Coordinates of all heavy atoms in Angstrom, one line a residue:
S1 N -2.2 -2.0 0.1 CA -3.0 -3.1 0.5 C -2.2 -4.3 1.1 O -2.5 -4.8 2.1 CB -3.8 -3.6 -0.7 OG -4.6 -2.6 -1.3
L2 N -1.1 -4.6 0.4 CA -0.3 -5.7 0.8 C 0.5 -5.4 2.1 O 0.6 -6.2 3.0 CB 0.7 -6.2 -0.2 CG 0.1 -6.7 -1.5 CD1 1.2 -7.0 -2.5 CD2 -0.7 -8.0 -1.2
F3 N 0.9 -4.2 2.3 CA 1.6 -3.8 3.5 C 0.6 -3.7 4.6 O 1.0 -4.1 5.8 CB 2.3 -2.4 3.3 CG 3.3 -2.1 4.3 CD1 4.5 -2.8 4.4 CD2 3.1 -1.0 5.2 CE1 5.4 -2.5 5.3 CE2 4.1 -0.7 6.1 CZ 5.3 -1.5 6.2
A4 N -0.6 -3.3 4.4 CA -1.7 -3.3 5.4 C -1.9 -4.8 5.9 O -2.1 -5.0 7.1 CB -2.9 -2.7 4.9
Y5 N -2.0 -5.7 4.9 CA -2.1 -7.1 5.3 C -1.0 -7.6 6.2 O -1.3 -8.2 7.2 CB -2.1 -8.0 4.0 CG -1.7 -9.4 4.2 CD1 -2.6 -10.3 4.8 CD2 -0.5 -9.9 3.8 CE1 -2.2 -11.6 5.1 CE2 -0.1 -11.2 4.0 CZ -0.9 -12.1 4.6 OH -0.6 -13.4 4.9
V6 N 0.2 -7.2 5.9 CA 1.4 -7.6 6.7 C 1.2 -7.0 8.1 O 1.4 -7.7 9.1 CB 2.7 -7.1 6.1 CG1 3.8 -7.3 7.1 CG2 2.9 -7.9 4.8
Q7 N 0.8 -5.8 8.2 CA 0.7 -5.1 9.6 C -0.5 -5.7 10.4 O -0.4 -5.8 11.6 CB 0.5 -3.6 9.4 CG 1.6 -2.9 8.7 CD 3.0 -3.3 9.2 OE1 3.2 -3.3 10.4 NE2 3.9 -3.7 8.3
L8 N -1.5 -6.1 9.7 CA -2.7 -6.7 10.4 C -2.5 -8.0 11.0 O -3.2 -8.5 11.8 CB -3.9 -6.7 9.5 CG -4.5 -5.4 9.1 CD1 -5.5 -5.6 7.9 CD2 -5.1 -4.7 10.3
L9 N -1.4 -8.7 10.5 CA -1.1 -10.1 11.0 C -0.7 -10.1 12.5 O -1.0 -11.1 13.1 CB 0.0 -10.7 10.2 CG -0.3 -11.0 8.7 CD1 1.0 -11.5 8.0 CD2 -1.3 -12.1 8.7
D10 N -0.1 -9.0 13.0 CA 0.4 -9.1 14.4 C 0.4 -7.7 14.9 O 1.2 -6.8 14.5 CB 1.7 -9.7 14.4 CG 2.1 -10.2 15.8 OD1 1.7 -9.6 16.8 OD2 2.7 -11.3 16.0
R11 N -0.4 -7.4 16.0 CA -0.4 -6.1 16.6 C 0.9 -5.7 17.3 O 1.1 -4.6 17.6 CB -1.5 -6.1 17.7 CG -2.9 -5.9 17.1 CD -4.0 -6.1 18.2 NE -4.2 -7.5 18.5 CZ -5.1 -8.0 19.3 NH1 -5.8 -7.2 20.0 NH2 -5.2 -9.3 19.5
T12 N 1.7 -6.7 17.6 CA 3.0 -6.4 18.4 C 3.9 -5.6 17.5 O 4.9 -5.0 18.0 CB 3.7 -7.7 18.8 OG1 3.9 -8.5 17.7 CG2 2.8 -8.4 19.8
H13 N 3.7 -5.6 16.2 CA 4.6 -4.9 15.3 C 4.0 -3.5 14.8 O 4.6 -2.9 13.9 CB 5.0 -5.7 14.1 CG 5.5 -7.1 14.5 ND1 6.5 -7.3 15.4 CD2 5.1 -8.3 14.1 CE1 6.8 -8.6 15.5 NE2 5.9 -9.2 14.8
Y14 N 2.9 -3.1 15.4 CA 2.3 -1.9 15.0 C 3.2 -0.7 15.2 O 3.8 -0.5 16.3 CB 1.0 -1.6 15.8 CG 0.4 -0.3 15.5 CD1 -0.4 0.0 14.4 CD2 0.7 0.8 16.4 CE1 -0.9 1.3 14.2 CE2 0.2 2.0 16.2 CZ -0.6 2.3 15.1 OH -1.1 3.6 14.9
L15 N 3.4 0.1 14.2 CA 4.1 1.4 14.3 C 3.2 2.5 13.6 O 2.6 2.2 12.5 CB 5.5 1.3 13.6 CG 6.5 0.4 14.3 CD1 7.7 0.3 13.5 CD2 6.9 1.0 15.7
N16 N 3.2 3.7 14.2 CA 2.4 4.8 13.6 C 2.9 5.1 12.2 O 2.1 5.4 11.3 CB 2.5 6.0 14.5 CG 1.6 5.9 15.7 OD1 0.4 6.0 15.6 ND2 2.2 5.7 16.8
H17 N 4.2 5.0 11.9 CA 4.6 5.4 10.6 C 4.3 4.3 9.5 O 4.2 4.6 8.4 CB 6.1 5.8 10.5 CG 7.1 4.7 10.9 ND1 7.5 4.5 12.2 CD2 7.7 3.8 10.2 CE1 8.4 3.5 12.3 NE2 8.5 3.1 11.0
Y18 N 4.1 3.1 10.0 CA 3.6 2.1 9.0 C 2.1 2.4 8.7 O 1.7 2.2 7.5 CB 3.8 0.7 9.6 CG 5.2 0.2 9.7 CD1 5.5 -0.9 10.5 CD2 6.2 0.8 8.9 CE1 6.8 -1.4 10.5 CE2 7.5 0.4 9.0 CZ 7.8 -0.7 9.8 OH 9.1 -1.2 9.8
Y19 N 1.4 2.8 9.7 CA 0.0 3.2 9.5 C 0.0 4.4 8.5 O -0.8 4.4 7.6 CB -0.6 3.5 10.8 CG -2.0 4.2 10.7 CD1 -3.0 3.7 9.9 CD2 -2.3 5.3 11.6 CE1 -4.2 4.3 9.9 CE2 -3.5 5.8 11.5 CZ -4.5 5.3 10.7 OH -5.8 5.9 10.7
L20 N 0.9 5.3 8.7 CA 0.9 6.5 7.8 C 1.3 6.1 6.4 O 0.7 6.6 5.4 CB 2.0 7.5 8.3 CG 2.2 8.7 7.4 CD1 0.9 9.5 7.3 CD2 3.4 9.6 8.0
V21 N 2.2 5.1 6.2 CA 2.5 4.6 4.9 C 1.3 4.1 4.2 O 1.1 4.3 3.0 CB 3.6 3.5 5.0 CG1 3.7 2.7 3.7 CG2 5.0 4.1 5.3
C22 N 0.5 3.3 4.9 CA -0.8 2.8 4.3 C -1.7 3.9 3.9 O -2.3 3.8 2.8 CB -1.5 1.8 5.3 SG -0.5 0.3 5.6
M23 N -1.8 4.9 4.7 CA -2.7 6.1 4.4 C -2.2 6.8 3.2 O -3.0 7.1 2.3 CB -2.8 7.0 5.6 CG -3.5 6.5 6.8 SD -5.2 6.1 6.6 CE -5.1 4.3 6.3
V24 N -0.9 7.1 3.1 CA -0.3 7.8 2.0 C -0.5 7.1 0.7 O -0.8 7.6 -0.3 CB 1.1 8.2 2.3 CG1 1.8 8.7 1.1 CG2 1.2 9.2 3.4
C25 N -0.2 5.7 0.8 CA -0.3 4.9 -0.4 C -1.8 4.9 -0.9 O -2.0 5.0 -2.2 CB 0.1 3.5 -0.2 SG 1.9 3.3 -0.1
G26 N -2.7 4.9 0.0 CA -4.1 4.9 -0.5 C -4.5 6.3 -1.1 O -5.2 6.3 -2.1
L27 N -3.9 7.4 -0.6 CA -4.2 8.7 -1.2 C -3.5 8.8 -2.5 O -4.1 9.3 -3.5 CB -3.7 9.8 -0.2 CG -4.5 9.9 1.1 CD1 -3.8 10.9 2.0 CD2 -5.9 10.2 0.9
L28 N -2.3 8.3 -2.6 CA -1.6 8.4 -3.9 C -2.2 7.6 -5.0 O -2.2 8.0 -6.2 CB -0.1 7.9 -3.7 CG 0.8 8.8 -3.0 CD1 2.2 8.2 -2.8 CD2 1.0 10.2 -3.6
A29 N -2.9 6.5 -4.6 CA -3.6 5.7 -5.6 C -4.8 6.4 -6.3 O -5.2 6.0 -7.3 CB -4.1 4.4 -4.9
L30 N -5.2 7.5 -5.7 CA -6.3 8.4 -6.2 C -5.8 9.4 -7.2 O -6.5 10.1 -7.8 CB -7.1 9.0 -5.1 CG -7.7 8.1 -4.1 CD1 -8.4 8.9 -3.0 CD2 -8.7 7.1 -4.7
M31 N -4.4 9.7 -7.2 CA -3.9 10.9 -7.8 C -3.2 10.5 -9.2 O -2.7 9.4 -9.4 CB -2.8 11.5 -6.9 CG -3.4 11.9 -5.6 SD -2.2 12.7 -4.5 CE -3.1 13.0 -3.0
P32 N -3.2 11.5 -10.1 CA -2.5 11.3 -11.4 C -1.0 11.4 -11.2 O -0.5 12.5 -11.1 CB -3.1 12.4 -12.2 CG -3.5 13.5 -11.3 CD -3.9 12.8 -10.0
L33 N -0.3 10.3 -11.1 CA 1.1 10.3 -10.7 C 2.1 10.2 -11.9 O 3.3 10.3 -11.7 CB 1.3 9.1 -9.8 CG 0.5 9.0 -8.5 CD1 0.9 7.8 -7.7 CD2 0.8 10.3 -7.6
S34 N 1.6 10.0 -13.1 CA 2.5 9.7 -14.2 C 2.9 11.0 -15.0 O 3.7 10.8 -16.0 CB 1.8 8.7 -15.2 OG 1.5 7.5 -14.5
G35 N 2.4 12.2 -14.7 CA 2.6 13.3 -15.6 C 4.1 13.8 -15.7 O 4.5 14.2 -16.8
V36 N 4.9 13.8 -14.6 CA 6.2 14.4 -14.6 C 7.2 13.3 -14.0 O 6.9 12.6 -13.1 CB 6.2 15.6 -13.7 CG1 7.6 16.2 -13.6 CG2 5.2 16.7 -14.3
A37 N 8.4 13.3 -14.7 CA 9.5 12.5 -14.2 C 9.1 11.0 -13.9 O 9.4 10.5 -12.9 CB 10.1 13.1 -12.9
S38 N 8.4 10.4 -14.9 CA 8.0 9.0 -14.7 C 8.3 8.2 -16.0 O 8.3 8.8 -17.1 CB 6.5 9.0 -14.4 OG 5.7 9.3 -15.6
L39 N 8.4 6.9 -15.8 CA 8.6 6.1 -16.9 C 7.4 6.0 -17.8 O 7.4 5.8 -19.0 CB 9.0 4.7 -16.4 CG 10.4 4.5 -15.9 CD1 10.7 3.0 -15.5 CD2 11.5 4.9 -16.9
D40 N 6.2 6.1 -17.1 CA 5.0 6.1 -17.9 C 4.9 7.2 -18.9 O 4.5 7.0 -20.1 CB 3.8 6.2 -16.9 CG 3.4 4.9 -16.3 OD1 4.1 3.9 -16.6 OD2 2.4 4.9 -15.6
A41 N 5.3 8.4 -18.5 CA 5.3 9.6 -19.4 C 6.3 9.4 -20.5 O 6.1 9.9 -21.6 CB 5.5 10.9 -18.6
R42 N 7.4 8.8 -20.2 CA 8.5 8.6 -21.2 C 8.0 7.5 -22.2 O 8.3 7.6 -23.4 CB 9.8 8.1 -20.5 CG 10.9 8.0 -21.5 CD 12.2 7.5 -20.7 NE 12.6 8.6 -19.8 CZ 13.5 9.5 -20.2 NH1 14.0 9.5 -21.4 NH2 13.9 10.4 -19.3
R43 N 7.3 6.5 -21.7 CA 6.8 5.4 -22.5 C 5.6 5.8 -23.4 O 5.5 5.4 -24.5 CB 6.5 4.2 -21.6 CG 6.0 3.0 -22.3 CD 5.9 1.8 -21.3 NE 5.1 2.2 -20.2 CZ 3.8 2.1 -20.0 NH1 3.1 1.7 -21.0 NH2 3.2 2.5 -18.9
R44 N 4.7 6.6 -22.7 CA 3.5 7.1 -23.4 C 3.4 8.6 -23.3 O 2.9 9.1 -22.3 CB 2.3 6.4 -22.8 CG 2.3 4.9 -23.0 CD 1.1 4.3 -22.3 NE -0.2 4.9 -22.7 CZ -1.4 4.7 -22.1 NH1 -1.4 4.0 -21.0 NH2 -2.5 5.3 -22.6

C-alpha cells in the first residue's frame, strides 16, 4: 500500500517491476505466510 502511494505520486518514475512488487505484496497479504521459517512460528 505504501509503496503504491509512492509510485502514484509521479508517473515519471513508473517501472514495471515496481508495479509487480505491488501486485505480489497484495497477493502475499492473502496467504498464510507464518508457517515455516518465520519468527511468528518460533514465537507462537
Side-chain angles (χ1 to χ4, degrees):
S1 301
L2 295 176
F3 197 66
Y5 156 74
V6 170
Q7 302 310 312
L8 290 171
L9 289 174
D10 199 324
R11 281 170 281 182
T12 58
H13 308 309
Y14 170 83
L15 291 174
N16 282 286
H17 61 268
Y18 288 164
Y19 172 45
L20 177 60
V21 163
C22 295
M23 293 297 99
V24 168
C25 285
L27 295 175
L28 288 177
L30 302 176
M31 300 180 182
L33 302 177
S34 299
V36 177
S38 72
L39 288 182
D40 277 5
R42 184 180 294 268
R43 180 173 51 89
R44 296 176 56 192

